[in-house]
């Protein structure tokens, strides 16, 4: 699967020990909570520190986008172990407009707008589709457990 493709394969809602879900208020403080929860879950799976740091950065960018740029009171954040060599991060927002995520081309002096560019560089694959959980956007990223 190439980067930024549409995927209808979501993390299972319940797979004890293999998935972890958080429902968070759509507030800036939720970004920190999502980062810490992701780091803790990946550490419990013994994912190497550098890979874990990359995943935490991806989650931070995805949750920040959901909180700042989409309507809705909640975001749902998930991490799942797909295989021993791969895990997936998902952030589901409440944007029911169907407009998706607009492409950004930030200028050199812009302070924001680079989040999805970072996701594209870090993730092995990533994409966006409609969320079966919220009806909004589901942005996902897949990463290998080793670099």
């Amino acid at each position: 699967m190439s980067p930024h493709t549409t995927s209808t394969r979501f993390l299972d809602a319940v797979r004890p020990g293999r998935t972890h879900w958080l429902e968070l208020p759509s507030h800036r403080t939720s970004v920190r909570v999502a980062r810490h929860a992701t780091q803790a879950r990946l550490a419990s799976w013994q994912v190497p520190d550098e890979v874990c740091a990359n995943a935490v950065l991806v989650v931070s960018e995805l949750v920040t986008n959901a909180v700042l740029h989409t309507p809705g009171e909640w975001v749902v954040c998930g991490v799942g172990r797909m295989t021993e060599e791969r895990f997936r991060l998902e952030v589901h927002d409440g944007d029911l407009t169907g407009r998706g995520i607009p492409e950004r081309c930030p200028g050199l002096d812009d302070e924001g707008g680079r989040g999805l560019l970072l996701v594209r560089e870090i993730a092995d694959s990533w994409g966006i589709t409609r969320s079966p959980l919220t009806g909004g956007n589901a942005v996902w990223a897949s990463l290998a457990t080793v670099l």
Side-chain angles (χ1 to χ4, degrees):
M1 194 174 286
S2 64
H4 198 69
T5 58
T6 299
S7 171
T8 56
R9 182 178 177 212
F10 293 97
L11 295 174
D12 292 336
V14 179
R15 281 180 35 182
R18 308 272 306 170
T19 60
H20 181 71
W21 288 96
L22 289 171
E23 187 173 338
L24 301 166
S26 187
H27 191 270
R28 289 176 186 246
T29 58
S30 292
V31 177
R32 180 178 52 83
V33 174
R35 281 195 308 259
H36 289 293
T38 300
Q39 192 280 328
R41 182 58 52 167
L42 293 177
S44 77
W45 292 337
Q46 299 178 343
V47 172
D49 290 344
E50 189 173 349
V51 174
C52 191
N54 284 343
V56 167
L57 178 57
V58 168
V59 163
S60 182
E61 294 300 334
L62 296 181
V63 175
T64 297
N65 282 349
V67 166
L68 294 181
H69 303 297
T70 64
E73 296 181 23
W74 299 93
V75 295
V76 179
C77 182
V79 58
R81 188 112 191 217
M82 307 309 285
T83 66
E84 291 302 312
E85 295 82 30
R86 183 157 309 286
F87 61 94
R88 181 172 163 128
L89 306 165
E90 293 182 12
V91 175
H92 299 244
D93 65 43
D95 186 356
L96 302 178
T97 66
R99 66 178 178 219
I101 297 175
E103 290 290 325
R104 294 277 319 257
C105 191
L108 291 174
D109 295 329
D110 290 346
E111 291 183 18
R114 292 177 181 79
L116 292 178
L117 297 174
L118 287 170
V119 171
R120 180 173 45 209
E121 290 301 314
I122 293 170
D124 296 327
S125 59
W126 74 282
I128 179 173
T129 192
R130 299 309 295 167
S131 169
L133 302 176
T134 65
N137 300 305
V139 185
W140 59 270
S142 177
L143 288 86
T145 56
V146 294
L147 294 176

